[in-house]
Amino acid sequence: TLDRAVGDHYVLHSHGGETTMDNLVVTSKQINGKRLNMRADHFAEYIQENYDLDYDHETYFKELIGA
């Protein structure tokens, strides 16, 4: 539900990302906590390997920027 939603940076602060609308996505606290300091492509691999989910960081980024 939306009351459990949090913002996440596509490019993390620690990787030079800024807090701008084109670098933010809505996610859950649980997923955000699992990402930690991983780049989006590494996080995609982590999700696929550990949760058997299809997570494509390129599609994620395109959805993020509205392309």
Side-chain angles (χ1 to χ4, degrees):
T1 63
L2 285 178
D3 62 325
R4 296 188 344 192
V6 296
D8 189 16
H9 294 83
Y10 182 78
V11 178
L12 301 171
H13 278 145
S14 59
H15 295 263
E18 298 181 9
T19 303
T20 58
M21 291 302 291
D22 61 341
N23 191 41
L24 294 173
V25 295
V26 176
T27 188
S28 69
K29 290 179 185 178
Q30 181 182 21
I31 294 297
N32 196 27
K34 291 182 185 318
R35 182 174 177 195
L36 301 174
N37 201 32
M38 287 184 256
R39 290 185 352 207
D41 55 341
H42 292 169
F43 185 59
E45 292 173 13
Y46 169 81
I47 292 293
Q48 288 171 340
E49 292 172 2
N50 293 285
Y51 295 95
D52 195 32
L53 297 173
D54 186 21
Y55 181 93
D56 176 12
H57 75 279
E58 291 178 11
T59 300
Y60 174 70
F61 184 70
K62 287 178 184 174
E63 290 173 358
L64 171 68
I65 63 172

XYZ file of all heavy atoms in Angstrom:
546
model
N 0.823 -1.183 0.000
C 0.000 0.000 0.000
C 0.873 1.254 0.000
O 2.039 1.196 0.364
C -0.925 0.002 1.220
O -0.127 0.047 2.391
C -1.852 -1.194 1.237
N 0.298 2.369 -0.384
C 1.071 3.605 -0.481
C 1.623 4.083 0.845
O 2.646 4.757 0.880
C 0.235 4.701 -1.121
C 0.044 4.573 -2.633
C -0.839 5.700 -3.140
C 1.369 4.557 -3.359
N 0.983 3.744 1.942
C 1.498 4.196 3.231
C 2.818 3.515 3.591
O 3.526 3.968 4.480
C 0.457 4.016 4.339
C 0.056 2.575 4.559
O -0.005 1.808 3.587
O -0.220 2.229 5.725
N 3.177 2.443 2.879
C 4.449 1.757 3.119
C 5.458 2.054 2.012
O 6.533 1.479 1.978
C 4.218 0.259 3.255
C 3.367 -0.058 4.457
C 3.215 -1.488 4.808
N 3.571 -2.452 3.802
C 3.288 -3.724 3.859
N 2.598 -4.175 4.881
N 3.645 -4.548 2.917
N 5.131 2.963 1.125
C 6.016 3.301 0.006
C 7.112 4.266 0.465
O 6.911 5.089 1.355
C 5.224 3.928 -1.125
N 8.267 4.119 -0.156
C 9.396 5.014 0.099
C 10.021 5.393 -1.234
O 9.825 4.721 -2.244
C 10.468 4.371 1.012
C 9.911 4.077 2.384
C 11.046 3.122 0.388
N 10.776 6.461 -1.226
C 11.510 6.861 -2.419
C 12.878 6.196 -2.453
O 13.480 5.929 -1.412
N 13.362 5.929 -3.629
C 14.687 5.345 -3.814
C 15.353 6.053 -4.985
O 14.694 6.460 -5.933
C 14.575 3.842 -4.097
C 15.918 3.136 -4.086
O 16.898 3.713 -3.575
O 15.990 2.005 -4.589
N 16.637 6.191 -4.900
C 17.406 6.796 -5.984
C 17.807 5.716 -6.982
O 18.319 4.677 -6.581
C 18.666 7.462 -5.442
C 18.384 8.635 -4.571
N 18.072 8.500 -3.236
C 18.350 9.957 -4.853
C 17.863 9.700 -2.737
N 18.021 10.608 -3.689
N 17.579 5.972 -8.277
C 18.051 5.031 -9.297
C 19.581 5.008 -9.268
O 20.188 3.958 -9.140
C 17.524 5.409 -10.685
C 17.968 4.417 -11.731
C 17.313 3.190 -11.847
C 19.036 4.676 -12.568
C 17.729 2.258 -12.771
C 19.455 3.745 -13.497
C 18.797 2.540 -13.599
O 19.222 1.620 -14.515
N 20.213 6.166 -9.381
C 21.661 6.276 -9.182
C 21.833 6.787 -7.753
O 21.415 7.893 -7.416
C 22.312 7.249 -10.190
C 23.807 7.376 -9.923
C 22.051 6.796 -11.620
N 22.419 5.962 -6.910
C 22.535 6.266 -5.494
C 23.419 7.479 -5.230
O 24.311 7.798 -6.018
C 23.117 5.053 -4.767
C 22.300 3.760 -4.884
C 23.079 2.599 -4.311
C 20.966 3.906 -4.202
N 23.161 8.144 -4.090
C 24.018 9.272 -3.691
C 25.480 8.857 -3.678
O 26.347 9.601 -4.140
C 23.643 9.756 -2.284
C 22.486 10.672 -2.264
N 21.575 10.674 -1.230
C 22.077 11.637 -3.114
C 20.672 11.585 -1.459
N 20.939 12.182 -2.598
N 25.749 7.683 -3.162
C 27.138 7.211 -3.051
C 27.782 6.954 -4.405
O 28.992 6.805 -4.501
C 27.204 5.941 -2.204
O 26.410 4.919 -2.788
N 26.973 6.938 -5.444
C 27.474 6.753 -6.808
C 27.313 8.032 -7.632
O 27.350 7.998 -8.860
C 26.747 5.594 -7.492
C 27.002 4.273 -6.851
N 27.951 3.386 -7.303
C 26.446 3.689 -5.760
C 27.965 2.304 -6.532
N 27.053 2.477 -5.586
N 27.088 9.159 -6.952
C 26.984 10.442 -7.635
C 25.574 10.877 -7.997
O 25.387 11.905 -8.642
N 24.572 10.112 -7.598
C 23.192 10.453 -7.927
C 22.675 11.620 -7.109
O 23.110 11.859 -5.980
N 21.747 12.343 -7.696
C 21.144 13.491 -7.035
C 19.693 13.207 -6.690
O 19.078 12.292 -7.239
C 21.219 14.710 -7.952
C 22.643 15.134 -8.286
C 22.680 16.354 -9.185
O 21.623 16.969 -9.417
O 23.780 16.684 -9.646
N 19.159 13.992 -5.780
C 17.749 13.869 -5.434
C 16.957 14.771 -6.375
O 16.672 15.927 -6.084
C 17.512 14.252 -3.966
O 18.327 13.422 -3.138
C 16.055 14.056 -3.574
N 16.647 14.216 -7.540
C 15.866 14.900 -8.558
C 14.756 13.959 -8.998
O 14.863 12.737 -8.849
C 16.743 15.274 -9.778
O 17.332 14.085 -10.309
C 17.834 16.259 -9.391
N 13.698 14.528 -9.558
C 12.554 13.711 -9.963
C 12.941 12.628 -10.973
O 12.380 11.544 -10.956
C 11.435 14.583 -10.531
C 10.758 15.451 -9.475
S 10.054 14.499 -8.114
C 8.718 13.674 -8.949
N 13.897 12.907 -11.845
C 14.263 11.907 -12.849
C 15.222 10.852 -12.303
O 15.613 9.942 -13.020
C 14.839 12.571 -14.108
C 16.101 13.366 -13.833
O 16.358 13.718 -12.675
O 16.830 13.631 -14.804
N 15.590 10.950 -11.017
C 16.447 9.942 -10.412
C 15.775 9.251 -9.233
O 16.408 8.531 -8.486
C 17.780 10.577 -9.957
C 18.797 9.540 -9.558
O 18.931 8.507 -10.204
N 19.506 9.794 -8.475
N 14.477 9.457 -9.055
C 13.761 8.843 -7.941
C 12.707 7.859 -8.429
O 12.092 8.068 -9.470
C 13.079 9.916 -7.088
C 14.018 10.854 -6.347
C 13.217 11.971 -5.693
C 14.838 10.113 -5.315
N 12.528 6.796 -7.683
C 11.478 5.813 -7.952
C 10.758 5.518 -6.640
O 11.292 5.752 -5.564
C 12.037 4.499 -8.542
C 12.644 4.734 -9.904
C 13.044 3.869 -7.612
N 9.564 5.010 -6.743
C 8.802 4.586 -5.576
C 9.025 3.099 -5.398
O 8.947 2.321 -6.347
C 7.300 4.884 -5.754
C 6.507 4.354 -4.568
C 7.084 6.372 -5.933
N 9.319 2.702 -4.184
C 9.541 1.295 -3.876
C 9.038 1.040 -2.459
O 8.425 1.893 -1.838
C 11.031 0.934 -4.048
O 11.189 -0.481 -3.931
C 11.913 1.626 -3.023
N 9.322 -0.127 -1.943
C 8.932 -0.451 -0.567
C 10.164 -0.373 0.335
O 11.300 -0.463 -0.127
C 8.347 -1.861 -0.495
O 9.359 -2.821 -0.732
N 9.925 -0.214 1.622
C 11.033 -0.207 2.583
C 11.808 -1.521 2.507
O 13.032 -1.535 2.616
C 10.500 0.010 3.994
C 9.967 1.393 4.235
C 9.433 1.535 5.645
C 8.795 2.907 5.834
N 8.229 3.053 7.163
N 11.090 -2.619 2.321
C 11.724 -3.940 2.272
C 12.690 -4.038 1.090
O 13.829 -4.452 1.251
C 10.663 -5.032 2.184
C 11.243 -6.420 2.153
C 10.168 -7.483 2.006
O 9.066 -7.210 1.549
N 10.506 -8.701 2.370
N 12.253 -3.651 -0.094
C 13.114 -3.713 -1.273
C 14.250 -2.706 -1.159
O 15.411 -3.020 -1.440
C 12.306 -3.468 -2.560
C 11.316 -4.608 -2.794
C 13.224 -3.297 -3.771
C 11.942 -5.966 -3.026
N 13.949 -1.504 -0.713
C 14.978 -0.481 -0.557
C 16.053 -0.947 0.428
O 17.243 -0.721 0.218
C 14.355 0.833 -0.094
C 15.267 2.013 -0.276
O 16.130 2.026 -1.136
N 15.076 3.020 0.547
N 15.644 -1.627 1.479
C 16.590 -2.145 2.461
C 17.476 -3.252 1.909
O 18.619 -3.412 2.336
N 16.970 -4.010 0.970
C 17.768 -5.075 0.359
C 18.787 -4.523 -0.633
O 19.839 -5.092 -0.844
C 16.864 -6.082 -0.348
C 16.031 -6.910 0.594
C 15.204 -7.904 -0.174
C 14.267 -8.686 0.693
N 14.742 -9.157 1.958
N 18.475 -3.403 -1.248
C 19.369 -2.838 -2.263
C 20.661 -2.332 -1.638
O 21.733 -2.444 -2.220
C 18.671 -1.712 -3.016
C 19.574 -1.161 -4.106
C 18.889 -0.165 -4.961
N 19.823 0.388 -5.932
C 19.606 1.458 -6.632
N 18.475 2.114 -6.492
N 20.493 1.891 -7.480
N 20.563 -1.729 -0.483
C 21.717 -1.163 0.213
C 22.485 -0.217 -0.699
O 21.963 0.794 -1.107
C 22.590 -2.274 0.777
C 21.893 -3.226 1.770
C 22.800 -4.367 2.145
C 21.406 -2.473 2.979
N 23.718 -0.564 -1.057
C 24.585 0.327 -1.835
C 24.849 -0.226 -3.239
O 25.835 0.130 -3.869
C 25.896 0.546 -1.079
C 26.613 1.780 -1.523
O 25.994 2.755 -1.916
N 27.932 1.744 -1.480
N 23.979 -1.111 -3.721
C 24.189 -1.736 -5.034
C 23.759 -0.814 -6.165
O 22.750 -0.115 -6.047
C 23.379 -3.028 -5.148
C 23.914 -4.175 -4.350
S 22.941 -5.656 -4.669
C 21.973 -5.719 -3.169
N 24.516 -0.862 -7.272
C 24.070 -0.197 -8.503
C 22.808 -0.901 -8.986
O 22.548 -2.052 -8.647
C 25.140 -0.309 -9.586
C 26.358 0.488 -9.326
C 27.350 0.452 -10.463
N 27.031 -0.497 -11.532
C 27.943 -1.053 -12.320
N 29.218 -0.774 -12.177
N 27.582 -1.883 -13.277
N 22.016 -0.206 -9.804
C 20.750 -0.762 -10.283
C 20.953 -2.072 -11.033
O 20.196 -3.025 -10.840
C 20.025 0.247 -11.163
N 21.990 -2.159 -11.878
C 22.201 -3.401 -12.631
C 22.626 -4.540 -11.718
O 22.202 -5.681 -11.901
C 23.190 -3.199 -13.780
C 24.523 -2.625 -13.350
O 24.623 -2.034 -12.257
O 25.483 -2.767 -14.138
N 23.419 -4.261 -10.693
C 23.811 -5.308 -9.740
C 22.621 -5.738 -8.893
O 22.464 -6.924 -8.575
C 24.939 -4.822 -8.838
C 26.222 -4.624 -9.569
N 27.304 -3.995 -9.011
C 26.611 -4.962 -10.821
C 28.294 -3.953 -9.877
N 27.893 -4.539 -10.991
N 21.762 -4.777 -8.549
C 20.568 -5.112 -7.781
C 19.628 -5.986 -8.604
O 19.028 -6.937 -8.083
C 19.862 -3.841 -7.323
C 18.686 -4.093 -6.416
C 18.845 -4.768 -5.226
C 17.427 -3.642 -6.760
C 17.770 -5.005 -4.389
C 16.338 -3.862 -5.932
C 16.515 -4.544 -4.739
N 19.529 -5.708 -9.894
C 18.705 -6.533 -10.780
C 19.196 -7.974 -10.776
O 18.397 -8.911 -10.674
C 18.726 -5.969 -12.199
N 20.497 -8.161 -10.858
C 21.069 -9.510 -10.817
C 20.786 -10.176 -9.475
O 20.434 -11.352 -9.423
C 22.576 -9.449 -11.067
C 22.937 -9.035 -12.474
C 24.430 -8.826 -12.651
O 25.216 -9.224 -11.768
O 24.812 -8.248 -13.693
N 20.942 -9.423 -8.394
C 20.681 -9.949 -7.055
C 19.236 -10.436 -6.923
O 18.974 -11.529 -6.435
C 20.984 -8.865 -6.011
C 20.516 -9.188 -4.622
C 21.269 -10.014 -3.799
C 19.315 -8.683 -4.123
C 20.841 -10.317 -2.513
C 18.880 -8.974 -2.854
C 19.646 -9.796 -2.055
O 19.220 -10.108 -0.788
N 18.278 -9.616 -7.391
C 16.862 -9.983 -7.322
C 16.598 -11.241 -8.140
O 15.926 -12.169 -7.689
C 15.975 -8.817 -7.806
C 16.032 -7.647 -6.819
C 14.541 -9.260 -8.048
C 15.410 -7.936 -5.473
N 17.139 -11.296 -9.351
C 16.913 -12.446 -10.221
C 17.489 -13.722 -9.609
O 16.854 -14.769 -9.637
C 17.525 -12.204 -11.593
C 16.759 -11.182 -12.398
C 17.465 -10.775 -13.673
O 18.666 -10.953 -13.813
N 16.724 -10.204 -14.600
N 18.682 -13.638 -9.042
C 19.344 -14.823 -8.492
C 18.732 -15.294 -7.180
O 18.663 -16.486 -6.915
C 20.827 -14.537 -8.285
C 21.579 -14.368 -9.589
C 23.005 -13.890 -9.386
O 23.442 -13.723 -8.222
O 23.682 -13.667 -10.403
N 18.291 -14.360 -6.339
C 17.848 -14.719 -5.003
C 16.343 -14.840 -4.834
O 15.885 -15.456 -3.886
C 18.391 -13.706 -3.989
C 19.892 -13.804 -3.873
O 20.406 -14.722 -3.273
N 20.589 -12.873 -4.494
N 15.578 -14.259 -5.742
C 14.128 -14.258 -5.582
C 13.400 -14.792 -6.801
O 12.186 -14.778 -6.853
C 13.620 -12.847 -5.243
C 14.143 -12.390 -3.907
C 15.297 -11.619 -3.826
C 13.512 -12.755 -2.732
C 15.803 -11.220 -2.591
C 13.999 -12.359 -1.500
C 15.154 -11.596 -1.447
O 15.646 -11.205 -0.238
N 14.139 -15.231 -7.795
C 13.567 -15.796 -9.006
C 12.511 -14.856 -9.607
O 11.433 -15.267 -9.994
C 12.970 -17.172 -8.726
C 12.683 -17.954 -10.010
O 13.425 -17.770 -10.988
O 11.720 -18.732 -10.023
N 12.840 -13.577 -9.631
C 11.965 -12.572 -10.226
C 12.639 -11.993 -11.453
O 13.852 -11.900 -11.528
C 11.696 -11.429 -9.238
C 10.963 -11.796 -7.964
C 10.916 -10.597 -7.025
C 9.561 -12.268 -8.274
N 11.843 -11.586 -12.410
C 12.372 -10.958 -13.617
C 12.461 -9.460 -13.383
O 11.454 -8.774 -13.309
C 11.474 -11.277 -14.804
C 12.057 -10.770 -16.107
O 13.284 -10.541 -16.168
O 11.290 -10.609 -17.064
N 13.662 -8.960 -13.246
C 13.898 -7.540 -12.957
C 14.927 -7.050 -13.953
O 16.072 -7.460 -13.937
C 14.413 -7.399 -11.520
C 14.675 -5.984 -11.096
C 13.698 -5.251 -10.447
C 15.906 -5.386 -11.324
C 13.935 -3.951 -10.042
C 16.146 -4.090 -10.923
C 15.166 -3.384 -10.273
O 15.410 -2.110 -9.880
N 14.517 -6.182 -14.839
C 15.381 -5.688 -15.903
C 15.713 -4.225 -15.633
O 14.842 -3.359 -15.732
C 14.670 -5.849 -17.253
C 15.437 -5.272 -18.413
O 16.630 -4.945 -18.251
O 14.837 -5.149 -19.490
N 16.967 -3.926 -15.288
C 17.316 -2.561 -14.907
C 17.180 -1.578 -16.059
O 16.920 -0.405 -15.849
C 18.715 -2.489 -14.296
C 19.827 -2.598 -15.280
N 20.247 -3.812 -15.764
C 20.590 -1.655 -15.880
C 21.229 -3.598 -16.623
N 21.462 -2.310 -16.704
N 17.325 -2.025 -17.297
C 17.160 -1.106 -18.423
C 15.689 -0.691 -18.562
O 15.386 0.479 -18.783
C 17.682 -1.732 -19.711
C 19.193 -1.879 -19.704
C 19.736 -2.545 -20.958
O 18.981 -2.713 -21.920
O 20.914 -2.887 -20.949
N 14.777 -1.641 -18.412
C 13.356 -1.319 -18.443
C 13.004 -0.440 -17.253
O 12.261 0.537 -17.380
C 12.505 -2.602 -18.429
O 12.840 -3.373 -19.578
C 11.024 -2.282 -18.420
N 13.561 -0.760 -16.093
C 13.357 0.026 -14.875
C 13.758 1.474 -15.114
O 13.036 2.400 -14.793
C 14.179 -0.626 -13.764
C 14.242 0.077 -12.440
C 13.128 0.145 -11.615
C 15.425 0.614 -11.992
C 13.205 0.759 -10.369
C 15.516 1.224 -10.747
C 14.395 1.287 -9.945
O 14.473 1.882 -8.718
N 14.914 1.694 -15.748
C 15.388 3.032 -16.012
C 14.500 3.746 -17.024
O 14.161 4.909 -16.851
C 16.837 3.015 -16.492
C 17.399 4.390 -16.689
C 17.652 5.211 -15.602
C 17.674 4.876 -17.944
C 18.158 6.479 -15.764
C 18.185 6.145 -18.135
C 18.426 6.960 -17.025
N 14.086 3.039 -18.069
C 13.213 3.654 -19.073
C 11.879 4.062 -18.446
O 11.348 5.125 -18.749
C 12.977 2.695 -20.245
C 14.187 2.551 -21.137
C 13.931 1.553 -22.243
C 15.188 1.353 -23.076
N 15.018 0.303 -24.063
N 11.343 3.228 -17.566
C 10.114 3.582 -16.882
C 10.351 4.782 -15.968
O 9.512 5.665 -15.842
C 9.583 2.401 -16.070
C 9.062 1.273 -16.945
C 8.688 0.041 -16.160
O 8.867 0.035 -14.915
O 8.219 -0.924 -16.766
N 11.513 4.816 -15.362
C 11.871 5.910 -14.463
C 11.883 7.247 -15.196
O 11.355 8.241 -14.710
C 13.248 5.634 -13.847
C 13.893 6.753 -13.049
C 13.108 6.995 -11.773
C 15.328 6.402 -12.718
N 12.445 7.273 -16.396
C 12.558 8.541 -17.122
C 11.371 8.795 -18.040
O 11.321 9.798 -18.731
C 13.874 8.617 -17.917
C 13.948 7.531 -18.990
C 15.069 8.580 -16.981
C 15.121 7.672 -19.925
N 10.437 7.848 -18.080
C 9.241 8.028 -18.886
C 9.458 7.826 -20.364
O 8.728 8.355 -21.186
N 10.469 7.048 -20.734
C 10.757 6.796 -22.148
C 9.904 5.670 -22.695
O 9.445 4.820 -22.020
C 12.228 6.453 -22.327
